[in-house]
Structure formats: C-alpha cells, structure tokens
Amino acid sequence: MTTTLITGGTVVTATGRSAADVLVDGEVIVAVLAPGSTLLGSDLAASVDAVIDATGKYVIPGGIDAHTHMELPFGGTAASDTFETGTRAAAWGGTTMIIDFAVQTYGQRVMDGLATWHEKARGNCAIDYGFHQIIGDVDPDSLKAMDGLIGEGITSFKLFMAYPGVFYSDDAQILRAMQKSAETGLMTMMHAENGPAIDVLVEQLLAQGKTDPYFHGVARAWQMEEEATHRAIMLANLTGAPLYVVHVSAKQAVEQLAAARDAGQNVFGETCPQYLYLSLEEQLGAAGFEGAKWVCSTPLRSRAEGHQDHMWQSLRTNDIQMVSTDHCPFCMKDQKELGLGDFSKIPNGIGSVEHRMDLMYQGVVSGQITLERWVEITSTTPARMFGLYGKKGVIAPGADADIVVYDPDGHTSIGVDKTHHMNMDHSAWEGFEIDGHVDTVMSRGTIVVDNDAYVGTKGHGRFVKRDLSQYLI
C-alpha cells in the first residue's frame, strides 16, 4: 500500500485549526502529527512513498454533498449528469462523497427502485457514494420495505409535499411514514412545499399569460414553503420522528425550524448555495427565457425581502445545519427549453456539485462564516447527520483518507470556458470569482485531482453503507 505524507499545511476541522502533518497509509489516515515530529522516525518524509507539500495551504476533510440527483428522470427528461460525469465534476471541486437519491416511483417496489440506482452508479463513480431512498408511493408494501433499508445501509428516506401526481404524499401518508421513522430511527427528509396550492397558483398565472421563468418563483411563494415546513414539523412532533427539511430557501421556513429546535425537537435543515447567492429578481427575472437556467424548487427568493442574508445568518447560528447542492442539472437546449411559453414545464434543477466547496469558502473570505464553520457545514455535519462520521468528515486516525489541500492564495474563475466539468451547456455560476483554489483532492488515499488535472478513474468510488444519524439530540 502507498504511504503519503501531507506536510507543512494547516489542518482545519470543525473545532479548530493547527499546523500539522497528516500521514496516510493506503486508504486511511494513520496519524496527525505536530510539524517535524520524530514520533514515527527522525525523517518521516524520506520513509514514505509520496510527500505533498501543503505549505501555506489548508488541509481539510473532503466535502460531502448529501443531496444530489444524478440521472434523475424529471419533467419528461432526465438530469444531464451521469454518475460518471457528476462525480468527476464533484471531485474537481473538492467533494469526495455524494449521497444521491434512489427513487421508488408510484406503483413500484421500494427495493426495485433501490436496485435500479445501484445499477446506475456501480462501477461509474470517481468518488464514494451513498443513497437516500425516495418513497414516492407510501402504501403498506412500501412501509414494510422500509424495515429493510437500514440493513442496506440506507438510513434516510425522502417524502414530497409537492408535485401531485408524481412524488406527492398527503398528510396521512406522511404520518404513517413518520411513524415508521420513529420506530426504526430512519431520518425523514422532506421537500416542504404545499404542492396542491402551488398547482392552483400555476394554473392561474398561466391563464393570465404570465408564462416567463420569473413566475415559477411567484407561484412557489414563501408562504407555501413556510406552511409546509410547519406542517411537517407538527407531524414529526406528533410521531417522534426525526425530521430533515431539504433545500430551505425562505427565511420564514427557517424561523419554523428554529422554533422547533428551541423546543428540543429533532428537526434539522439544509440550504444550498443558490439560496445564499442568487435571487428571484436577478436570476429568475433575467430577460426573456434566460431565467430558466435558475428554475429550481424550492425557488430562488427575493433579495429585497432579505432571504439570502437570513440564510447566511442561519448558518452562523446553526438554525440551518449544513449546505448541500440539490444538484439536478439540465441543459438549456432540448431540456430547459421544454418550458418555452410555459414556466411550469421547465425541468426544475441547478447544477452546483462542482462549486459548493468554493462558493462556501467565499463566504469565509467575505466574513459570513468562519473557516471552521466552512468545514463543519460542508463535511463534518453531513457526515454526522447521515451516519458517516468517523470514516468521513474528519481528519483523524482511522478515518478514510478523503482529503483536500486548499490554497487560500489561489483563485478560481467559474464559467463554462473556465472551471466547468458538469455535463451542462451553461453554468448557473457563470462569472463568479473565488478567492481560493482546490489544489489536491485525495479519495481514500488516491489522488484524483492534482494541480488542475483530473487523475482519477471511473469506478474508484465505492458504495458506502451508512449508520443511523449521529446528530440527534
């Protein structure tokens, strides 16, 4: 097995930073040492197979993106990134594990849906991966099948309060699924929007000739998110189920989560880079059909209403615990264009898996979050939230050697002709400039990105079975 010494860097964890050398043996970290330590020999650098000089740079645990949708069928098409292209792009950006969503569609058996996603991913991933399970049809057979998910290493499932006729669960179905969650310890993940009410607003807007992408955000008003978030919290409170609300975008929804947490409830939330940086006015409201690039659900919120500032604040106060991407990319040509003249037919999704670590580091540069909080919300908390901590999300002996060397003095320009490896014909982040740079990415001890070159291999990534959440109160 190959031994590697990362020397001269500043190791950053969720709880602090220190000058330290990191010794990797094969796939795991075996020691974190004071600089120049002779504990393992007087000249450790001469005794290893490879040395990575991290002088002046940060050494951090690889990012974990706990919300991606590779190859997801949606809106008459499918997400444009495969597990091969999507995980390669993730590696470019310093993410060393994704948790994607296996899908049970209406009328399908849960385990058959899971098997389909295993087939999609197996042998194709550049980095490690796991699955959540979407339960698209809560019925007695599905509820029984959920008992077997933990044995498969799937310890979380997702329900939708939106998309009637596709993934939608009514309150009775949610109640039954949450009862199963409380019984088994499975984490209930929730897409919290009032789908039936949204459909009424969509119908009315289209009847008024309001067909541009901007009205996607108008139809999915913040009240629809706050109401559904509150309802999900109440059902979780009744059943005792742990609840994790995905892609929180409205400040009012954050307030619902914060109140429940203050009362001691096991309720958690994630947000995404798009809700921190982008807006209804500037992106969805772009001229013509250009706004289709940023159609996603929950939608981009109004900057004038202060949602973006509140999201940053919620990350500082831990009212929101982590940042994922909800990576669900679609090209403009032949995909987003399906909604020309009818915003409701635009496939919902933004591609961000490559840029999450950089975008969140820019929050450190701008003073929104600390360096330690950057690591916490992009790696350590995702690991704890979804039963990976100890193996992932930390630089410590015994952990997988998923390591990123990040240069704070480097620079990254995001754009299709600059930094862009996702399988998309545009970038939602075109023109963004990052005051930092991913220099080296190591996945289980193997370098996959080095000095602006991808040196990884298809199939290196393995499926990781997850334990129950390590973040519960």
Side-chain angles (χ1 to χ4, degrees), residues 111 125 139 226 302 329 430 434:
M111 290 304 175
C125 294
D139 61 13
E226 182 186 19
S302 167
E430 189 72 42
I434 306 298

Side-chain angles (χ1 to χ4, degrees), residues 131-151:
F131 292 132
H132 311 288
Q133 180 67 53
I134 288 175
I135 307 294
D137 185 9
V138 181
D139 61 13
D141 186 66
S142 298
L143 291 167
K144 183 177 180 180
M146 288 167 68
D147 288 323
L149 287 177
I150 292 173

Side-chain angles (χ1 to χ4, degrees), residues 264-335:
Q265 195 172 340
N266 270 315
V267 172
F268 315 103
E270 70 172 21
T271 193
C272 307
Q274 53 266 34
Y275 307 124
L276 297 162
Y277 285 104
L278 310 179
S279 74
L280 172 70
E281 297 95 337
E282 295 157 305
Q283 277 77 35
L284 270 183
F289 193 66
E290 190 76 4
K293 293 177 180 178
W294 298 282
V295 165
C296 60
S297 297
T298 54
L300 305 184
R301 298 296 178 192
S302 167
R303 192 175 301 280
E305 294 175 356
H307 296 281
Q308 294 77 6
D309 289 342
H310 196 89
M311 287 296 147
W312 282 113
Q313 175 182 310
S314 71
L315 289 174
R316 291 191 294 272
T317 59
N318 206 43
D319 289 329
I320 292 292
Q321 287 69 52
M322 51 187 270
V323 176
S324 305
T325 60
D326 191 12
H327 178 77
C328 193
F330 298 98
C331 293
M332 284 291 279
K333 184 173 175 56
D334 298 329
Q335 290 194 302

Side-chain angles (χ1 to χ4, degrees), residues 72-73 101-105 108 110 112-114 117 132-134 167:
L72 176 71
F101 286 83
V103 179
Q104 176 224 16
T105 56
Q108 182 186 39
V110 170
D112 289 344
L114 177 57
W117 252 256
H132 311 288
Q133 180 67 53
I134 288 175
F167 290 131

